[in-house]
Amino acid sequence: MTYNIAIAGAGIGGLTAAALLAKQGHRITVFDQFDKPRPVGSGLVIQPVGQAVLDEIGAGNAARAKGNAVLRMLGHDASNGRRVLDVTYDHDPEGTNYGLAIHRAALFDVIMKAAVTAGAEIQPSHTVTAYENGVLTFENCAPRGPFDLVIDSSGVSSPLSPITASPLPYGAIWGTVPWKECGLPRNQLTQVYRRADRMIGIMPSGSLPGSDEQQAAVFWSMPRDGYDAWRAAPLTDWLAEVASLWPQAAPIFEQITSHDQMTMARYSHGTLRKPYGDRLAIIGDAAHKASPQLGQGANMAMLDASALAKAIAQHPLQQALPAYAMARRWHVRIYQAMSRSFTPQYQSDSRILPVLRDRILFPVSQLPPIPRLLTRLVRGDMIPPMASLTSRG
């Protein structure tokens, strides 16, 4: 069977689903709110499970050419330099696992090309407002449909998803600047903390579309209601605080010369118990929201897309949607629970949790076999991402 499928949202998950399903021969139309589909955000990490999905759509090599291999995540305390986070991607010296740090624009570019090459049609300037009986309605555009299936990939503000979520007290400002040599390894995501109310990070993230200049994603944790106060204060005050907490990072952060170079991201936590409805599948942030602490957001969206495509290939459509939900259920639940438990240790006003993190949890995390378990957690394969849809032959 071939289906007429609409995808709401030209984000990472939506375009991945478009590429996979168009390759299966389905008629795919992607509706995006912008006049020209474009990414929103800075750098991110594609874990090995996400890289496998990029290979499925034929975009893996192009993404690796634009990204940067990260072999380690290291964090230390600003006051004494003591390690409080240390995760290696592969404990085998001959191992090939790594995180692919990449700017969202570069990732978007390679996935968009894969979707268009596979035959997906992209419809810009279509802001989805509602869905009923296979028909999508839009702001200032005529309704379209009916479709055999609508895939909601419209993100955290989805008008189609019934998800409810709890706001997290902390978010972060993100930006992208050229990479500058300052003694930090290029193959490492490095973070510095002051208790849990200050978190600074630098991630070498490859190059932007159309350029070979290496970039770095930088981020600074702050309360979700702290952005306006940050913008109102002189930028020099913030840069001085960055330099006082992490002098080594100053040359990179000094390239921020305007508040507008940093974008605020606010997070929430919630998971749909049933990520599908009548001729409707919900993937990515529209189905599950969490902090980026484990670096799994884009990976989860791509895994959702892959699982949905596999379910549609293996089952009639009526059975494919519950099969998709079943395949992703435990992987999503476990990673959501882990994110919820880890986040307050690194982003909160607590004075107790950072002490527990630094004096007890981190030392224990370095005792075998826990380092290997943390490695599997970060790589995204602590449990199979979609076991019930994976061939065992």
Side-chain angles (χ1 to χ4, degrees):
M1 288 289 293
T2 58
Y3 302 114
N4 183 17
I5 300 174
I7 299 176
I12 300 303
L15 290 174
T16 301
L20 290 167
L21 291 166
K23 286 178 70 174
Q24 291 180 8
H26 304 294
R27 180 182 173 188
I28 307 299
T29 308
V30 182
F31 296 100
D32 192 65
Q33 63 178 318
F34 297 116
D35 56 357
K36 180 180 180 181
R38 60 182 182 270
V40 177
S42 182
L44 49 84
V45 180
I46 302 302
Q47 309 298 357
V49 289
Q51 294 172 47
V53 179
L54 288 174
D55 289 331
E56 281 185 58
I57 65 173
N61 289 336
R64 293 181 189 100
K66 298 301 292 182
N68 176 66
V70 171
L71 304 181
R72 185 186 187 193
M73 295 194 303
L74 182 67
H76 64 268
D77 185 278
S79 62
N80 53 34
R82 186 169 51 211
R83 286 182 304 154
V84 296
L85 173 73
D86 194 348
V87 180
T88 301
Y89 268 91
D90 206 318
H91 295 273
D92 180 354
E94 304 299 321
T96 58
N97 290 290
Y98 59 88
L100 181 66
I102 186 169
H103 194 279
R104 193 174 291 268
L107 179 64
F108 176 89
D109 186 59
V110 299
I111 298 178
M112 169 71 91
K113 288 176 180 175
V116 172
T117 299
E121 177 188 356
I122 312 296
Q123 287 284 330
S125 302
H126 277 70
T127 301
V128 174
T129 56
Y131 161 82
E132 187 175 4
N133 297 326
V135 176
L136 281 171
T137 57
F138 305 92
E139 185 179 285
N140 303 322
C141 293
R144 296 284 294 271
F147 296 96
D148 298 312
L149 175 67
V150 169
I151 300 172
D152 180 11
S153 178
S154 52
V156 295
S157 301
S158 167
L160 308 184
S161 172
I163 192 170
T164 58
S166 303
L168 295 176
Y170 269 71
I173 50 174
W174 289 78
T176 302
V177 295
W179 171 257
K180 243 185 178 180
E181 296 296 341
C182 60
L184 293 174
R186 278 271 301 277
N187 61 0
Q188 179 175 292
L189 191 167
T190 311
Q191 298 179 145
V192 167
Y193 316 100
R194 189 196 73 182
R195 297 189 295 271
D197 63 352
R198 292 289 187 275
M199 179 173 71
I200 319 168
I202 295 175
M203 180 178 72
S205 53
S207 57
L208 294 166
S211 171
D212 293 326
E213 183 178 20
Q214 295 297 298
Q215 304 290 314
V218 298
F219 52 94
W220 169 272
S221 179
M222 69 169 54
R224 66 180 298 115
D225 60 355
Y227 182 61
D228 290 343
W230 175 79
R231 282 193 66 93
L235 193 65
T236 51
D237 291 356
W238 173 63
L239 292 173
E241 185 176 3
V242 171
S244 69
L245 294 171
W246 192 7
Q248 190 177 18
I252 288 182
F253 275 86
E254 283 170 357
Q255 298 176 95
I256 304 293
T257 57
S258 166
H259 290 92
D260 293 336
Q261 287 175 255
M262 303 294 284
T263 301
M264 181 69 186
R266 296 177 177 88
Y267 311 118
S268 56
H269 186 96
T271 307
L272 277 179
R273 294 180 62 86
K274 184 183 173 186
Y276 66 94
D278 178 29
R279 286 187 282 173
L280 174 69
I282 306 171
I283 68 174
D285 287 343
H288 37 74
K289 305 177 185 181
S291 83
Q293 199 64 51
L294 294 177
Q296 297 293 332
N299 298 274
M300 288 292 190
M302 291 195 294
L303 289 169
D304 288 351
S306 179
L308 179 59
K310 286 180 171 65
I312 290 171
Q314 295 176 24
H315 301 279
L317 191 56
Q318 191 172 3
Q319 286 84 50
L321 301 188
Y324 147 68
M326 178 65 72
R328 293 291 294 130
R329 179 170 299 156
W330 286 108
H331 190 260
V332 168
R333 286 183 178 180
I334 287 174
Y335 274 87
Q336 291 289 87
M338 291 290 185
S339 175
R340 192 161 204 162
S341 64
F342 276 120
T343 297
Q345 299 175 35
Y346 297 93
Q347 288 186 289
S348 72
D349 293 321
S350 173
R351 295 299 183 98
I352 297 173
L353 287 177
V355 175
L356 177 67
R357 176 194 70 195
D358 299 350
R359 303 292 176 85
I360 299 175
L361 296 180
F362 176 73
V364 170
S365 77
Q366 301 304 294
L367 300 176
I370 296 178
R372 291 181 181 273
L373 293 176
L374 289 175
T375 291
R376 297 292 298 272
L377 175 67
V378 169
R379 289 192 333 210
D381 60 359
M382 175 174 266
I383 68 168
M386 55 187 90
S388 60
L389 290 170
T390 303
S391 171
R392 291 170 175 80

